[in-house]
Amino acid sequence: MKSMTGYAKVQCTVGEKKVNIEIKTLNSKQLDLIVKLPAAYRSRELDVRAMLAALERGKVELVVNEESSATDASLNSELLAARYALLSHVADETCADRTGLLASLAGMSDIWNSTGSDELTDEQWAAFAEGLQHAIDETDCFRSHEGAVLEKDFHLHVDLIEQMLRQIPAFEAERIETAKERIRTMMADAAIKEVDQNRFEQELIYYLEKLDITEEKVRLQKHIDYFRQTMANEPTCGKKLGFVAQEMGREINTTGSKANHVEIQRLVVVMKDELEKIKEQLGNVL
């Protein structure tokens, strides 16, 4: 099992530059890619997106930054001087402090004229692609680790649901006797003295069949077993587990509606609570 939450930060060398590659992933119903690349890399964006598709599902944000050196750009001194003069005039009129003004202007990217290549060469792309693949692999490992934590948590909740399910039979015999006694009491209150015993038994059996939860218990146990098997055997199982959880909820709800017994109802409430905890986390499973 894998989570959709992942993170990786990798540094690689492309040509003579150090390049930082950062990937963040969060849960999403589909693959939602957000790609932020330096200008020289944009011609390769489709290739980058194709590589990121290996992450399958989730909101994936890729940020690539180059570490600049003194030889990478030249200063646009005319633009810098014009902005400094304008802001200095504003500072004089408003009595503002000019300290740090020049440093702030120097941080603006558009006053630097890049001297680098407009596009990556094939050799540079190969170096970058290797670094990107490393980041993708690290993100996948992070997801696997987070998935293992989720799987352990799911097992705890599923085990509790199964424990509650196994306690139900202890109350079923009492439940049937209670139902019989309730019918007899109703007949006595209605002053019905003569009763056809055979007809009474037939009606009682029909009534108890309406309250029978044997099929619900069997199906719920099967869903529990399938939930565990899916977690163990399928790395990307979030959607399937969601469907199984829906079926589990259906059987638990039907059991509750048919229970007609306070202790069984209490067990059903616990099962519902544990299932809700599972559903809350399923949205983050790949």
Side-chain angles (χ1 to χ4, degrees):
M1 177 185 291
K2 294 180 182 178
S3 168
M4 276 191 277
T5 302
Y7 180 79
K9 188 171 184 179
V10 170
Q11 187 177 78
C12 63
T13 302
V14 178
E16 297 180 354
K17 296 180 180 180
K18 296 291 184 182
V19 177
N20 296 312
I21 303 171
E22 186 176 24
I23 297 177
K24 299 177 184 177
T25 65
L26 297 171
N27 59 313
S28 179
K29 291 183 178 180
Q30 306 296 332
L31 180 63
D32 181 13
L33 297 179
I34 301 172
V35 179
K36 300 177 182 179
L37 300 172
Y41 293 71
R42 288 172 190 162
S43 63
R44 297 282 189 168
E45 184 172 341
L46 290 179
D47 297 319
V48 170
R49 288 178 175 271
M51 293 179 68
L52 291 173
L55 294 172
E56 298 184 59
R57 195 158 66 99
K59 182 178 180 180
V60 180
E61 181 178 3
L62 169 70
V63 179
V64 178
N65 289 312
E66 291 181 330
E67 292 187 0
S68 301
S69 65
T71 60
D72 289 338
S74 62
L75 179 65
N76 187 335
S77 56
E78 291 183 3
L79 180 59
L80 175 61
R83 287 185 179 176
Y84 185 79
L86 176 61
L87 292 177
S88 295
H89 178 68
V90 173
D92 291 340
E93 288 188 344
T94 59
C95 299
D97 188 2
R98 294 189 188 184
T99 305
L101 178 57
L102 187 60
S104 298
L105 289 171
M108 295 182 176
S109 60
D110 60 344
I111 68 165
W112 298 94
N113 300 315
S114 176
T115 59
S117 173
D118 291 337
E119 292 186 5
L120 296 178
T121 65
D122 290 342
E123 184 179 351
Q124 289 171 335
W125 163 250
F128 173 73
E130 183 178 352
L132 177 58
Q133 186 60 54
H134 185 198
I136 292 171
D137 292 341
E138 282 198 7
T139 304
D140 193 57
C141 287
F142 191 106
R143 284 177 152 193
S144 295
H145 179 267
E146 291 295 305
V149 174
L150 286 175
E151 184 174 354
K152 183 177 180 180
D153 188 58
F154 287 153
H155 275 294
L156 290 175
H157 297 309
V158 169
D159 289 349
L160 281 171
I161 291 174
E162 188 174 49
Q163 289 175 25
M164 298 303 104
L165 177 61
R166 290 178 177 176
Q167 291 180 37
I168 289 177
F171 303 104
E172 288 192 276
E174 177 185 345
R175 172 172 166 263
I176 293 173
E177 288 303 319
T178 301
K180 289 180 178 179
E181 187 60 32
R182 184 181 296 114
I183 294 174
R184 291 191 180 99
T185 301
M186 291 171 61
M187 293 174 64
D189 292 343
I192 300 176
K193 297 180 180 179
E194 294 184 5
V195 177
D196 185 328
Q197 194 61 30
N198 290 333
R199 181 61 184 271
F200 174 75
E201 292 294 337
Q202 288 175 2
E203 293 296 328
L204 183 60
I205 290 172
Y206 176 77
Y207 175 72
L208 294 178
E209 283 179 349
K210 291 290 186 181
L211 298 179
D212 184 62
I213 55 175
T214 301
E215 290 185 9
E216 285 76 12
K217 291 187 298 178
V218 171
R219 285 196 294 264
L220 179 55
Q221 183 62 60
K222 288 183 178 180
H223 294 325
I224 289 172
D225 295 339
Y226 188 48
F227 193 95
R228 289 179 176 137
Q229 292 170 10
T230 303
M231 283 195 295
N233 300 325
E234 300 184 27
T236 56
C237 55
K239 289 183 178 180
K240 182 178 287 188
L241 290 179
F243 296 141
V244 178
Q246 287 180 3
E247 294 303 315
M248 290 171 64
R250 185 173 289 109
E251 302 306 333
I252 292 171
N253 288 333
T254 305
T255 299
S257 65
K258 289 184 174 183
N260 210 23
H261 190 282
V262 64
E263 290 300 322
I264 296 178
Q265 290 284 9
R266 182 184 64 81
L267 296 174
V268 166
V269 169
V270 175
M271 287 192 285
K272 285 183 177 182
D273 183 49
E274 296 302 318
L275 186 61
E276 282 304 309
K277 292 175 183 177
I278 290 174
K279 289 181 177 180
E280 287 174 5
Q281 294 290 347
L282 276 177
N284 199 33
V285 177
L286 185 63

